[in-house]
Amino acid sequence: MSVRDDPLLRLDRVSVALRQGGREMVSGVSLSVGRRELFGIVGESGSGKTLFTRTVFGLHDDAVVSGGEVTFDGRTMPAKSHHTEMKRLLGKRIGFIPQDPFSSLNPSMRVGAQITEALYLARGLSPKSREARDAAIAVLAEVGIPEPDIAFRQFPDQFSGGMRQRIVIAIVLAQEPELLIADEPTTALDASTQRLIVDLIVERSRTRGLSVILISHNLELLRQSMDRIGVLYSGQFLNLFQADQLAHQEVHPYTQALFDCIPTKDKTLADIRPIPGEPAGAGFGLAGCSFADRCAFAKDRCCATPLPINDAGQARFSACIIGKGA
Amino acid sequence: MSEPMVTLEGVGKTFASRALVRTRSFALSDVDMVVNKGEIVGILGESGSGKSTVANIITRLLKHDAGTYRFKGRDVTGYSKAELMAFKSDVQIVFQDPYGSLNPRATIRNIVRESLIIHRPDLTRAQQDDRVSELMFEVGLGGQDIDRYPHEFSGGQRQRIAIARAMAVEPELLVCDEPLSSLDVSIQAQVLELFTRLIRDHDLTMVFITHDLNVARLLCDRVYVMFQGRVVESGAAREVLNNPQQEYTASLLEAVY
């Protein structure tokens, strides 16, 4: 179990706005990710989940953290210098696994060189050294690449999508990060490879004691593999709950509706209840709950009352003002 | 025993590439498949397994180069011009990507009406317009302005438009090639509901291609599991998906959340 119980990452009322025009896209996200915790962020397309995470971790140049505080390992970054400070951590203490393994690897560089480059940048190992080579081959073996010493000399296009994503994970693990961010790491892959990759991320993180933030639109995937899940909808942070409680405890109406509309192993056609209407995009700056117009429980005041924020940084949170899932 | 609507016997398809070296790739080999009237038949498999090639052969968007394909008992290769026209209105397809499958320069009215112009020359323009409104209502887009263009609609709405276009000529067989996979989860459930309603109201026969085994379990009567251009397992959906006999099917099921 964790040696220290202060969270590795804490977000306090973090908002993200576009650099140009300053339109606020995601607002008021308060959550913390513990050491060794696997944290999932779920949301439909346009909910702001990718924009939010990329901006918070300094990967986005068009958007900035416009409010709130980001605290990593006890060090609070003020909004002003957040971007530069985060950039310093990226690739060292924070590793990022992008969506698409076809465009994230350099096609003209051997797999081995891409890993030793990461080893040099993160840990200062000389790229041509025996030590770097051995470490790279070890990490390739760790992610399940067959014949890692041959793979070391191959180019990315000699691998399938699933294998490439493993190589990307190897590069990230080589940096020995404390926090792993994975943005839909399986959407570009075949359905049958998806589970292997997610399982690999989970298993490696558990073994190495990493914290993980996994972004996905697949609630069922997150429910089965993560510890806790945060829900974004139209740029609002609606819900935060223990993954294994989803089927047993009351959650935010949106989370419940999302859960009720995915076909799973033990559901029949009658169990599938579509959510009426279309998901609203992020960035409309609504005061009230943006899910109100699709919600079965909505009352008049839902649209007008400002959305509650997880101020106390609790482990469980529901932004529903009529008390659902709180 | 009802007469099968689609019978594929030993159907094969090879694609030739003459880029530098002449190569042939076997997209399908020796595929046997039967679709009975009123059945919902699922075709499952990973990408590259040949499931879309089967869809394209069933709709005659591609010609098979081995085996026989009989539609309602008649070999499709021997069709006369009139028979081919009838076939094309009997069999309709809904594609995966509602962004790529609707002509961006045509209004929704014209997209849905086009097949009526071709297959129902007996209708007057006003009758065609009535039919279009009726279809839009049926797919849940009633009251929408149909003189707008596809880009003005969301992904889910576009897929509904594509379904309306396919349903316009009252097809007997609807082939759906991954119709849900480019949609958001909450929209997927809406479109799934639309499909079940259409099946119920129109006695549709359907070939439903998907990689989502959970959707197949909900919707399909029978399934075919494909791997590398071959059918590796087939049978009643419930049996195949709850008690797979082939290792490959079992491995697919294991990967499902």
Side-chain angles (χ1 to χ4, degrees):
Chain A
M1 275 323 287
S2 59
V3 196
R4 297 155 66 187
D5 21 295
D6 64 309
L8 180 64
L9 175 81
R10 218 181 71 220
L11 307 183
D12 189 20
R13 288 176 167 260
V14 171
S15 299
V16 163
L18 297 184
R19 195 181 286 275
Q20 213 163 33
R23 183 146 85 135
E24 193 161 283
M25 300 302 284
V26 180
S27 47
V29 180
S30 292
L31 58 88
S32 52
V33 178
R35 287 166 207 278
R36 297 171 170 265
E37 186 176 31
L38 307 184
F39 191 87
I41 296 182
V42 72
E44 292 175 79
S45 9
S47 63
K49 55 185 192 303
T50 296
L51 176 82
F52 177 74
T53 324
R54 292 185 71 106
T55 311
V56 165
F57 294 105
L59 288 153
H60 221 296
D61 290 329
D62 298 331
V64 289
V65 169
S66 56
E69 278 178 353
V70 180
T71 308
F72 183 80
D73 197 17
R75 188 179 152 67
T76 301
M77 304 171 205
K80 232 165 116 190
S81 62
H82 159 264
H83 191 75
T84 26
E85 289 202 30
M86 205 39 109
K87 282 268 183 205
R88 239 174 271 146
L89 296 173
L90 258 185
K92 296 188 176 76
R93 301 183 66 187
I94 299 175
F96 180 73
I97 302 171
Q99 221 169 68
D100 178 8
F102 294 92
S103 57
S104 56
L105 290 168
N106 185 339
S108 61
M109 213 170 145
R110 290 177 202 275
V111 166
Q114 301 195 45
I115 301 176
T116 50
E117 181 186 46
L119 284 166
Y120 169 69
L121 292 170
R123 286 155 61 187
L125 294 186
S126 164
K128 296 267 190 261
S129 70
R130 181 91 219 186
E131 197 190 355
R133 190 193 140 86
D134 290 346
I137 291 174
V139 78
L140 280 172
E142 186 182 339
V143 296
I145 301 273
E147 303 183 278
D149 45 336
I150 295 172
F152 185 85
R153 292 202 45 75
Q154 284 177 310
F155 286 96
D157 67 326
Q158 291 171 286
F159 294 89
S160 66
M163 284 296 152
R164 282 190 212 203
Q165 197 60 297
R166 282 173 197 269
I167 294 168
V168 174
I169 295 170
I171 293 173
V172 173
L173 289 179
Q175 301 160 351
E176 298 191 342
E178 291 155 63
L179 175 64
L180 203 71
I181 318 288
D183 182 7
E184 300 259 19
T186 58
T187 33
L189 306 176
D190 233 324
S192 50
T193 340
Q194 269 190 29
R195 197 185 189 112
L196 295 175
I197 295 296
V198 173
D199 286 353
L200 175 72
I201 293 174
V202 168
E203 191 254 333
R204 281 299 93 207
S205 311
R206 292 264 192 237
T207 318
R208 285 172 166 245
L210 311 182
S211 306
V212 173
I213 296 180
L214 182 71
I215 306 169
S216 176
H217 63 275
N218 190 337
L219 182 57
E220 188 59 19
L221 180 157
L222 294 177
R223 186 178 79 92
Q224 289 185 24
S225 41
M226 296 288 114
D227 297 330
R228 243 165 7 115
I229 300 174
V231 182
L232 273 178
Y233 181 80
S234 296
Q236 295 181 336
F237 188 64
L238 292 186
N239 200 188
L240 185 64
F241 56 91
Q242 213 68 38
D244 53 4
Q245 295 299 312
L246 177 54
H248 313 291
Q249 235 169 22
E250 197 184 57
V251 286
H252 189 281
Y254 173 64
T255 315
Q256 189 61 49
L258 200 58
F259 186 57
D260 287 340
C261 73
I262 20 180
T264 56
K265 277 177 188 163
D266 31 60
K267 280 188 193 165
T268 65
L269 209 47
D271 296 325
I272 309 288
R273 281 184 293 272
I275 313 176
E278 301 267 341
F284 292 108
L286 293 177
C289 177
S290 51
F291 185 60
D293 59 339
R294 302 173 80 191
C295 182
F297 307 101
K299 301 211 165 42
D300 287 345
R301 61 198 161 99
C302 285
C303 299
T305 318
L307 205 73
I309 284 172
N310 183 19
D311 263 337
Q314 285 160 319
R316 242 176 87 76
F317 166 74
S318 168
C320 186
I321 57 157
I322 54 174
K324 294 272 173 193
Chain B
M1 190 58 205
S2 58
E3 166 204 4
M5 188 169 277
V6 171
T7 319
L8 301 183
E9 272 169 17
V11 163
K13 174 77 193 169
T14 54
F15 291 108
S17 133
R18 288 186 206 93
L20 282 172
V21 193
R22 255 170 211 251
T23 52
R24 289 206 299 165
S25 57
F26 293 85
L28 286 185
S29 37
D30 206 17
V31 170
D32 292 329
M33 212 172 269
V34 172
V35 181
N36 293 310
K37 195 169 165 42
E39 251 186 340
I40 313 300
V41 171
I43 302 180
L44 313 174
E46 293 174 271
S47 34
S49 62
K51 38 188 209 309
S52 290
T53 310
V54 171
N56 290 339
I57 285 174
I58 290 177
T59 47
R60 300 269 287 151
L61 291 171
L62 279 178
K63 290 194 174 103
H64 56 287
D65 43 28
T68 51
Y69 168 20
R70 288 199 301 278
F71 183 74
K72 296 202 278 191
R74 175 102 165 79
D75 192 326
V76 295
T77 45
Y79 272 163
S80 65
K81 217 171 174 186
E83 281 175 313
L84 191 61
M85 277 300 275
F87 172 86
K88 284 181 174 174
S89 110
D90 282 347
V91 181
Q92 287 289 321
I93 186 164
V94 175
F95 295 99
Q96 169 174 6
D97 177 12
Y99 295 88
S101 61
L102 302 178
N103 181 354
R105 300 177 68 166
T107 60
I108 303 311
R109 181 197 301 276
N110 287 334
I111 287 171
V112 178
R113 199 177 56 186
E114 192 171 17
S115 56
L116 291 173
I117 296 172
I118 296 165
H119 293 289
R120 299 293 302 276
D122 53 311
L123 297 182
T124 64
R125 195 168 170 139
Q127 283 171 321
Q128 286 172 356
D129 277 344
D130 287 348
R131 176 86 181 118
V132 171
S133 321
E134 191 186 304
L135 284 159
M136 293 305 277
F137 188 77
E138 181 159 22
V139 297
L141 292 175
Q144 295 275 350
D145 181 3
I146 55 170
D147 286 314
R148 289 190 294 160
Y149 292 87
H151 73 265
E152 297 175 72
F153 292 86
S154 69
Q157 288 174 325
R158 285 183 204 213
Q159 199 57 297
R160 287 170 192 270
I161 292 163
I163 294 167
R165 169 177 65 182
M167 295 300 293
V169 287
E170 296 170 54
E172 293 184 44
L173 175 68
L174 187 64
V175 178
C176 300
D177 189 358
E178 300 262 18
L180 303 178
S181 54
S182 61
L183 305 175
D184 246 324
V185 272
S186 71
I187 307 301
Q188 274 187 17
Q190 291 177 4
V191 176
L192 189 65
E193 192 185 45
L194 172 62
F195 274 124
T196 50
R197 189 156 48 78
L198 291 175
I199 291 165
R200 197 185 57 220
D201 295 352
H202 295 267
D203 286 326
L204 270 182
T205 307
M206 199 149 113
V207 173
F208 196 88
I209 291 162
T210 181
H211 65 264
D212 190 334
L213 304 191
N214 288 327
V215 170
R217 182 182 282 122
L218 292 176
L219 203 63
C220 301
D221 302 317
R222 272 187 321 116
V223 294
Y224 288 87
V225 182
M226 296 196 61
F227 179 60
Q228 294 186 347
R230 290 169 189 278
V231 173
V232 291
E233 186 165 3
S234 63
R238 215 161 288 138
E239 265 164 54
V240 172
L241 296 174
N242 290 339
N243 188 17
Q245 299 302 307
Q246 295 294 323
E247 211 175 294
Y248 177 69
T249 316
S251 76
L252 276 186
L253 277 160
E254 226 165 78
V256 169
Y257 281 99

